[in-house]
Amino acid sequence: MKLRKVTAASAVVLALAVTATACGSDDKKDSDSSGGGKKITVGIKFDQPGIGQKTPQGYAGFDVDVATYVAGKLGYKPDQIQWKETKSADRENALSRGDVDFIAASYSITPERETKVDFAGPYLLAHQDVLIRADDTAIKSPSDLNSKKLCSVTGSTSAQNVHDKLAPKAQLQQYPTYSACLTGLQNKAIDALTTDDSILAGYASQAAFKGKFKLGGFKMTNENYGIGVKKGSDLKAKINTALEAMVSDGSWQKAVDKNFGPANYKNEPAPKIGNIVS
């Protein structure tokens, strides 16, 4: 009798353990960043043509192509990727909350950000530059921006950096969006638009603007784009391995040509993992 009681109790314990395990599986987040899970959630920009953009046909841009390649190396097919918009001000929070598994969103690696998140990469070296009209021959260097109307988006420090360090007489103009700046540039309400050259190249590559604008090629700052992951995540090493493979098999250069080529973007060679250019 005693033996039967112990056996019955053990069976109950075992049943409870199996039930708890099953419940845990049901409650588990669909995303499994170790690879091969049902879904992986990736943060991108939704409003940067050539970089990360949500379109009626889906998602497009260099960051989207990089993220898709990386996710593939982690074991996820394109239809297993959940794209999530991550605006600049919310990127660190999205990672710490676990809203996304990694972020590829023109995310420059900086010492301040590295205290909050880890970065794989860099996977692109961009520079602050200006976009001007294709027929403009007056702006040949940053100093030529003196007395010119220089546009950037509200809240950005790009135009202020140029004003403070290179062209103190530049007339700063703040518009709500880059698209608004482009319209002003096209209509000659402004003379130049400034932000990262990769972002400018993405806008200039749009069919509606083909041949209308050109990059100044000034390389005023260095912007090392990295893929952000949660602090301490083992994804960093795995993503670095994927990025190295993307460069070595030619997929990286194909993505650059596809997304920035129409703007005649003179990109830097693919950076080496861990090499941050200051």
Side-chain angles (χ1 to χ4, degrees):
M1 183 67 71
K2 263 187 183 177
L3 182 59
R4 283 201 300 273
K5 282 183 179 178
V6 171
T7 303
S10 299
V12 170
V13 170
L14 180 60
L16 287 173
V18 170
T19 302
T21 302
C23 289
S25 298
D26 291 340
D27 293 339
K28 186 180 179 184
K29 183 182 174 185
D30 280 344
S31 175
D32 177 3
S33 59
S34 64
K38 294 180 181 179
K39 295 286 183 182
I40 188 167
T41 305
V42 180
I44 58 170
K45 293 290 183 68
F46 276 16
D47 59 352
Q48 288 184 344
I51 299 288
Q53 185 181 28
K54 183 178 182 180
T55 73
Q57 293 75 40
Y59 299 90
F62 180 69
D63 282 350
V64 173
D65 290 343
V66 170
T68 300
Y69 185 98
V70 167
K73 289 296 185 180
L74 294 176
Y76 299 91
K77 297 177 182 178
D79 62 0
Q80 292 176 301
I81 301 173
Q82 291 181 326
W83 301 106
K84 186 175 182 66
E85 182 177 24
T86 49
K87 296 184 178 180
S88 296
D90 195 45
R91 287 178 296 204
E92 288 82 25
N93 290 333
L95 287 170
S96 65
R97 289 192 304 258
D99 295 345
V100 295
D101 294 295
F102 68 82
I103 292 176
S106 56
Y107 201 2
S108 295
I109 302 171
T110 67
E112 181 184 0
R113 288 171 179 163
E114 285 184 303
T115 65
K116 302 173 183 176
V117 302
D118 284 341
F119 284 99
Y123 64 92
L124 183 71
L125 175 59
H127 307 280
Q128 186 180 343
D129 201 355
V130 296
L131 194 69
I132 55 179
R133 287 181 290 277
D135 59 358
D136 190 323
T137 58
I139 300 176
K140 299 177 181 178
S141 70
S143 62
D144 292 330
L145 294 168
N146 281 308
S147 302
K148 300 292 186 181
K149 293 178 180 178
L150 180 63
C151 186
S152 192
V153 297
T154 304
S156 169
T157 60
S158 298
Q160 192 67 49
N161 288 340
V162 174
H163 179 272
D164 292 346
K165 300 174 183 178
L166 301 167
K169 294 182 181 178
Q171 300 173 31
L172 305 187
Q173 308 285 318
Q174 287 194 334
Y175 282 37
T177 64
Y178 289 118
S179 296
C181 281
L182 280 170
T183 300
L185 185 59
Q186 190 171 5
N187 296 338
K188 299 187 177 181
I190 62 169
D191 300 301
L193 161 61
T194 186
T195 187
D196 295 358
D197 54 7
S198 57
I199 297 173
L200 295 174
Y203 276 101
S205 295
Q206 294 180 93
F209 299 128
K210 191 173 181 180
K212 295 181 179 179
F213 305 116
K214 63 183 178 182
L215 290 163
F218 299 158
K219 297 184 179 180
M220 295 179 280
T221 64
N222 295 316
E223 306 295 337
N224 301 271
Y225 287 3
I227 292 180
V229 298
K230 191 173 184 178
K231 200 75 176 169
S233 172
D234 63 357
L235 272 183
K236 177 180 176 178
K238 296 175 182 178
I239 292 174
N240 278 335
T241 299
L243 291 174
E244 288 174 336
M246 187 177 189
V247 173
S248 64
D249 69 15
S251 298
W252 184 89
Q253 189 60 51
K254 287 180 182 177
V256 169
D257 295 341
K258 168 189 167 186
N259 293 290
F260 305 130
N264 296 317
Y265 176 51
K266 308 254 184 329
N267 67 281
E268 298 279 4
K272 293 190 179 299
I273 299 301
N275 183 26
I276 309 299
V277 180
S278 59

